[in-house]
Amino acid sequence: MRLSTRHILSINDLTKKDVLTILATASSFKEISERPIKKVPTLRGRTVINCFFEDSTRTRLSFELAEKRLSADSSNISKSGSAMANKGETLLDTVRNIEAMRPDILVIRHSVAGAPAQAAGATRARIINAGDGMHEHPTQALLDLMTINDVKGRMKGLKVGIVGDILHSRVARSDMLLFKKMGLEVTVAGPPTLIPFGVEEAFGVRVASDVRDVLPELDVLMLLRVQRERLGEHFFPSAREYARYFGICADDLKSAKEDLAIMHPGPVNRGVEIAADVADGPRSVILGQVTCGVAVRMAVLYLLLGETHSE
Amino acid sequence: MAETKGKPLLGEREMEAEITRIAREIVSDGTENVALLGILTRGVPLAEWIARKVESIQHRPMDVGSLDINLYRDDLSEVSEQPIVKPTEIPFAIDGKGIVLIDDVLYTGRTIRAAMDAIIDFGRPRFVRLAVVIDRGWRELPVQADYVGRRIKTTADQNVKVMVKPIDDRNEVWVRKQK
């Protein structure tokens, strides 16, 4: 079994069969994280470089643990500690330098959309996009889908609501692409200034002006983080007003299905997009997403490096 | 001897007899604190089959688990297709337990080496023994089985196929020239 793609830059790179292979492999890898010794020798001698040119704690940790649990040798480049990233060197020169050290996989997070795709042209290594600007975050979408499949036992026909900053969110973009590809129905909601023009046609999703209108029919509710660093004060008046109109609290969920699953890609702004009693409530599968994250990243590393082996 | 045309090396009755004999040998060596661990894929129904036989002999159930060895293979660089990884399920503690590994065919020994590496990641067993339906020779590592259904001489261009329910529709062993 192998993936149809050399790199994971976008959900568009993956066929339905690729997605099912990744999810099946990730399910098996989940068991490794439950063992007393959480390590297998599968990728011994393979080198993975995590190039995080934009801050991230959980995604980087998730990739690092995935690499270590498969026994790959991993190294990190971070924005703050990296001479390469701070001395005016271009991304391509950085990638060419890393290429000269013969890595097998580069995991790239960058604030510029398309940076991982650009890097893919400058190296023989496989590239995994770990979030590029407002573009995509494919492994996050895969772990979201895995969580949904784990909780619901199916994917096709499920109704998913995504609430928040759809405009700037790479998670929302990858989620919309992946969920639609796998037959889920998606409704997006948020402040009108943060819903991209033409999103219905571009992604085949429905737009609701108020998520509460569609809440009773939803199987999954994904609440996006209010990205204060990207928003400034141009899109809505205040966090308090956002919380009042778009934040979800326990009272809002009275009309929802009993088994509605609440998701959030983290980090959570408690009291803004999600109330504490919802984040910690019985419907929340937020920590399940984190667990699935390590398994999905192990699966992606394994499947991409397997292709390297077979050449 | 092994090349057959239109006739299996072992049919349903012969296979049943070999499984029964393996179960008896395991019982005679003692099953106190001993568990069976089937190597995915066909080792698992074989382990369950042997466990049923053991139970019918001594009226006491045996623990059975399944082990995926793909993550421990030393030949990932040589396989053309990435193996599909399946879940390992070991519903008992390995520490201090006697483990009988169950597989369909013993060939190069590399699968068994990988299986032993995998077991040791789960704990420290009291001992590890090996039961196989067919030992076809051609070892590349110093591995031997403790319980063997049939030992056969094969040529390198032959393929030994153990069929076992419910994965296959019948219980048979075939030896054929590789296509």
Side-chain angles (χ1 to χ4, degrees):
Chain A
M1 189 54 69
R2 85 172 63 154
L3 299 181
S4 65
T5 174
R6 278 173 53 87
H7 308 289
I8 297 188
L9 305 171
S10 159
I11 290 299
N12 288 326
D13 295 340
L14 301 169
T15 63
K16 267 190 191 179
K17 195 173 157 211
D18 290 335
V19 174
L20 294 175
T21 302
I22 292 169
L23 294 195
T25 308
S27 286
S28 298
F29 280 143
K30 221 173 167 184
E31 172 264 320
I32 293 168
S33 297
E34 305 294 328
R35 296 182 187 181
I37 297 172
K38 302 169 182 60
K39 203 174 183 70
V40 292
T42 314
L43 298 186
R44 198 167 45 197
R46 301 277 144 181
T47 305
V48 184
I49 317 262
N50 302 306
C51 310
F52 277 67
F53 300 113
E54 186 186 60
D55 290 337
S56 162
T57 305
R58 78 193 57 214
T59 303
R60 190 166 106 173
L61 181 61
S62 182
F63 269 107
E64 276 191 61
L65 288 179
E67 291 149 14
K68 289 181 195 317
R69 284 179 189 175
L70 291 175
S71 302
D73 295 319
S74 63
S75 299
N76 296 307
I77 296 174
S78 63
K79 182 178 133 195
S80 53
S82 156
M84 286 181 182
N86 283 340
K87 292 184 178 172
E89 189 176 66
T90 66
L91 173 71
L92 284 186
D93 280 334
T94 302
V95 170
R96 285 188 192 114
N97 273 279
I98 298 171
E99 165 68 12
M101 301 178 205
R102 300 286 179 264
D104 295 293
I105 288 199
L106 304 184
V107 178
I108 298 183
R109 164 164 292 198
H110 204 286
S111 57
V112 174
Q118 198 185 8
T123 170
R124 279 172 292 182
R126 305 299 194 243
I127 306 283
I128 299 174
N129 178 2
D132 60 334
M134 287 158 50
H135 178 225
E136 278 213 50
H137 194 353
T139 57
Q140 174 73 42
L142 288 162
L143 75 87
D144 288 341
L145 185 65
M146 181 181 178
T147 310
I148 292 171
N149 193 37
D150 279 4
V151 173
K152 300 289 178 189
R154 66 190 174 103
M155 295 183 275
K156 204 170 176 197
L158 288 175
K159 291 186 163 61
V160 182
I162 305 178
V163 181
D165 178 2
I166 310 296
L167 180 66
H168 297 101
S169 172
R170 55 194 173 206
V171 175
R173 182 179 285 261
S174 287
D175 274 349
M176 287 190 290
L177 288 170
L178 183 62
F179 294 172
K180 289 302 293 182
K181 187 188 287 272
M182 302 311 287
L184 290 79
E185 294 175 29
V186 179
T187 303
V188 298
T193 47
L194 293 174
I195 302 291
F197 180 72
V199 69
E200 295 100 321
E201 296 77 27
F203 291 92
V205 300
R206 191 163 57 137
V207 175
S209 54
D210 188 341
V211 70
R212 292 167 186 86
D213 297 341
V214 292
L215 197 53
E217 65 189 57
L218 294 181
D219 300 295
V220 177
L221 179 60
M222 171 86 67
L223 301 167
L224 300 175
R225 183 171 68 92
V226 173
Q227 303 181 68
R228 297 176 201 218
E229 72 276 20
R230 291 197 209 278
L231 291 176
E233 290 175 348
H234 307 296
F235 295 93
F236 52 83
S238 67
R240 203 168 143 190
E241 182 159 314
Y242 183 95
R244 183 168 164 201
Y245 289 103
F246 299 99
I248 295 291
C249 64
D251 261 3
D252 297 321
L253 298 180
K254 282 179 182 160
S255 65
K257 288 184 181 174
E258 277 286 309
D259 64 347
L260 172 77
I262 304 279
M263 299 175 68
H264 191 300
V268 168
N269 289 312
R270 284 170 184 259
V272 184
E273 67 269 2
I274 186 167
D277 53 1
V278 177
D280 303 329
R283 290 161 152 142
S284 167
V285 295
I286 295 172
L287 296 177
Q289 289 173 270
V290 179
T291 304
C292 286
V294 177
V296 155
R297 284 157 186 145
M298 288 169 82
V300 166
L301 290 162
Y302 170 75
L303 292 166
L304 281 185
L305 280 181
E307 201 202 1
T308 314
H309 285 287
S310 65
E311 280 182 355
Chain B
M1 61 163 272
E3 180 67 25
T4 56
K5 279 184 186 166
K7 191 166 172 284
L9 174 70
L10 301 184
E12 177 90 36
R13 281 176 56 192
E14 288 109 327
M15 211 164 143
E16 169 97 24
E18 296 303 347
I19 294 293
T20 307
R21 190 169 54 75
I22 289 172
R24 284 207 185 105
E25 288 176 16
I26 291 172
V27 169
S28 89
D29 283 346
T31 57
E32 188 67 35
N33 201 23
V34 172
L36 304 181
L37 202 49
I39 297 176
L40 284 160
T41 307
R42 285 180 174 73
V44 177
L46 286 168
E48 285 162 354
W49 192 357
I50 293 169
R52 287 195 298 275
K53 288 284 174 198
V54 169
E55 193 173 344
S56 73
I57 297 166
Q58 61 179 16
H59 308 292
R60 188 152 50 84
M62 269 196 108
D63 286 332
V64 180
S66 67
L67 191 65
D68 183 283
I69 57 95
N70 280 316
L71 297 171
Y72 292 82
R73 289 171 67 134
D74 61 2
D75 62 347
L76 262 186
S77 56
E78 291 165 29
V79 296
S80 58
E81 284 282 292
Q82 187 86 332
I84 298 166
V85 179
K86 295 175 183 152
T88 286
E89 286 168 22
I90 305 181
F92 46 81
I94 293 276
D95 276 330
K97 198 139 193 144
I99 301 294
V100 182
L101 273 174
I102 313 284
D103 205 2
D104 50 357
V105 179
L106 178 56
Y107 187 22
T108 62
R110 288 176 190 271
T111 298
I112 305 305
R113 184 211 62 85
M116 287 191 284
D117 279 356
I119 289 172
I120 289 182
D121 270 1
F122 284 94
R124 190 176 184 281
R126 188 157 50 95
F127 62 74
V128 179
R129 294 188 183 132
L130 173 63
V132 296
V133 178
I134 302 291
D135 178 350
R136 64 167 295 186
W138 294 92
R139 216 75 80 237
E140 293 169 8
L141 295 173
V143 170
Q144 65 171 3
D146 301 278
Y147 312 103
V148 181
R150 290 277 176 96
R151 267 190 192 87
I152 59 173
K153 282 206 169 72
T154 57
T155 56
D157 63 352
Q158 284 177 323
N159 183 29
V160 178
K161 172 87 176 157
V162 173
M163 303 176 83
V164 57
K165 293 174 186 171
I167 293 173
D168 307 294
D169 58 357
R170 56 214 142 118
N171 298 313
E172 279 175 4
V173 178
W174 288 82
V175 182
R176 286 180 172 134
K177 260 203 160 36
Q178 280 174 1
K179 284 173 191 165

